[in-house]
Amino acid sequence: MCVLAWGGAAVSWELTTPGRLGASLASCAAFLLLAAGCALHIRRALVAELRRMQEIAGAAQRALLRPLPGRIEGLTLAAAQLSASRGAAVGGDLYEAVPTAYGVRAVIGDVRGHGLPALGAAAAVLGAFREAAYDEPALGGVLVRMERALARHVRGAEGAPEEFVTVLLLQIAEDGSVLALNCGHPWPYLLREPQPLEPCGASPRPALSPFPGLCPDPRLEDRHVQPRRRSRRGVWGGAPVSGTGGVGKGSARRGVEVRTFDGGETYPPLGVVPVQPDLQPQDCGRLWPGDVLFLHTDGAEDARDAEGRFFPLRSVLAEQSADTPARLVAGVHAALLRHTGGQLTDDVALLVLRSDRDDRGC
């Protein structure tokens, strides 16, 4: 703009100076060409610098929230991150899933605040999880090391406000049993295909074990009809929400039951009170083949449209196709952007795990 302003001033000076008109027009054209060339050179340098900065930022973002593998020990995964900061792919939300000797361990968390200012705390907590998940035999030990990493980050950042992080830790063993530690984070949703109705004249469904969530008595098992499965503690609370959606012309998909995967007690977020070293995880029952866990941060359910209505995440999950975790994440992602008009006020992280094991985990 400065170069173009200088060129305009030079042209005005030439036109107002007494002399032949042809010479003045030639001088004006020379000044304009010189100004345009300088402006294009400066713009090209700025665009190249912007591209280099975008490449560096992209590499840093991929190192923080690296792409998850499509499959880990019988679990199919998919994830997505939406930042409230324009131009940023990451923010104060975090997620990760790693295979360990104790089972697949997954984490999802949300740092106080959003956008780039919360990036440092998210990096500290996520880095501690990636190291401790392999070393600590107990899930509580992983949580303690994550809290220590957050405390070191707060002490090392000059002028940084007190940070706290909501965290949900999950451990899924080979038999599908799930242990959880929840520090102020929303519980995930469980998506399950409903059991088929019994035809008229069919034998009655086999009785469940007297202990919910445990395998039924093999003597009562029907080879053709699987019993309805429940949590070991019966903590998949809430009334199921069913939805239907077409997956193609001439085809239909059965409704999906959406339940809150509630593990019971919830502890304060990291950074509020010290974590007890002997903290025992909650037993959340068993993840059966075909079951889908939908983990999310509070930015998903707290998102509002122009009229102030909250995003109906539970209903959207019932209507989305859950054929693959990636398709489910993409559907919820698109519905969230439509609901908010692309104007997010908080970061959003989505993590989906589906059990594809072919055994019953008994």
Side-chain angles (χ1 to χ4, degrees):
M1 291 182 64
C2 293
V3 171
L4 293 177
W6 170 78
V11 170
S12 300
W13 173 264
E14 285 292 336
L15 292 178
T16 55
T17 301
R20 292 185 301 173
L21 181 60
S24 298
L25 292 177
S27 299
C28 291
F31 277 121
L32 288 177
L33 289 176
L34 179 62
C38 292
L40 290 176
H41 175 74
I42 295 174
R43 182 180 183 276
R44 187 175 302 172
L46 291 176
V47 169
E49 182 67 20
L50 178 61
R51 288 177 179 173
R52 286 193 295 269
M53 293 178 63
Q54 289 177 338
E55 292 176 357
I56 295 173
Q61 292 170 354
R62 288 189 296 270
L64 176 61
L65 283 183
R66 56 195 180 195
L68 295 178
R71 187 177 177 84
I72 299 179
E73 296 184 357
L75 297 177
T76 305
L77 297 87
Q81 164 78 9
L82 296 173
S83 177
S85 296
R86 184 177 180 181
V90 296
D93 290 357
L94 56 101
Y95 59 81
E96 182 63 286
V98 294
T100 70
Y102 317 101
V104 177
R105 286 178 169 176
V107 63
I108 188 168
D110 186 2
V111 181
R112 183 180 70 91
H114 61 270
L116 297 179
L119 193 59
V125 173
L126 193 55
F129 169 81
R130 286 171 174 164
E131 180 180 357
Y134 294 98
D135 301 334
E136 294 291 337
L139 207 58
V142 179
L143 194 64
V144 169
R145 291 178 60 172
M146 293 170 64
E147 183 198 34
R148 292 175 180 173
L150 177 63
R152 289 193 297 267
H153 166 75
V154 173
R155 289 196 302 267
E158 296 182 0
E162 292 295 328
E163 298 282 2
F164 65 85
V165 184
T166 65
V167 168
L168 174 64
L169 280 176
L170 295 180
Q171 177 176 297
I172 306 174
E174 292 183 0
D175 63 352
S177 59
V178 181
L179 298 179
L181 279 175
N182 192 335
C183 294
H185 198 82
W187 287 103
Y189 287 106
L190 174 70
L191 283 66
R192 171 175 296 170
E193 292 288 343
Q195 296 294 336
L197 296 177
E198 300 172 6
C200 296
S203 59
R205 300 181 63 140
L208 290 175
S209 167
F211 302 99
L214 297 180
C215 299
D217 190 338
R219 296 171 298 178
L220 302 177
E221 181 179 358
D222 191 331
R223 295 181 180 272
H224 304 286
V225 181
Q226 294 293 338
R228 185 187 180 104
R229 304 172 179 124
R230 298 176 55 195
S231 165
R232 178 174 300 172
R233 298 180 48 172
V235 292
W236 294 329
V241 177
S242 298
T244 58
V247 295
K249 186 176 181 180
S251 63
R253 182 175 64 89
R254 291 183 302 165
V256 175
E257 294 182 356
V258 181
R259 299 174 179 268
T260 302
F261 192 80
D262 190 349
E265 185 175 2
T266 300
Y267 302 99
L270 298 183
V272 176
V273 296
V275 175
Q276 300 298 325
D278 56 348
L279 198 62
Q280 296 298 321
Q282 306 291 326
D283 184 358
C284 298
R286 186 164 287 162
L287 193 65
W288 298 96
D291 286 351
V292 176
L293 278 182
F294 185 90
L295 286 69
H296 63 284
T297 55
D298 58 2
E301 292 185 312
D302 293 344
R304 304 192 185 193
D305 59 6
E307 299 179 1
R309 293 173 297 186
F310 289 101
F311 179 63
L313 178 59
R314 191 182 184 115
S315 301
V316 170
L317 288 176
E319 297 172 357
Q320 294 297 322
S321 172
D323 297 339
T324 63
R327 188 172 300 176
L328 178 61
V329 168
V332 175
H333 185 174
L336 183 62
L337 292 179
R338 286 195 303 267
H339 182 80
T340 60
Q343 303 295 325
L344 294 175
T345 59
D346 195 6
D347 302 326
V348 176
L350 309 175
L351 175 60
V352 176
L353 303 96
R354 187 184 68 185
S355 176
D356 288 336
R357 298 183 175 98
D358 54 4
D359 59 0
R360 297 179 52 205
C362 297

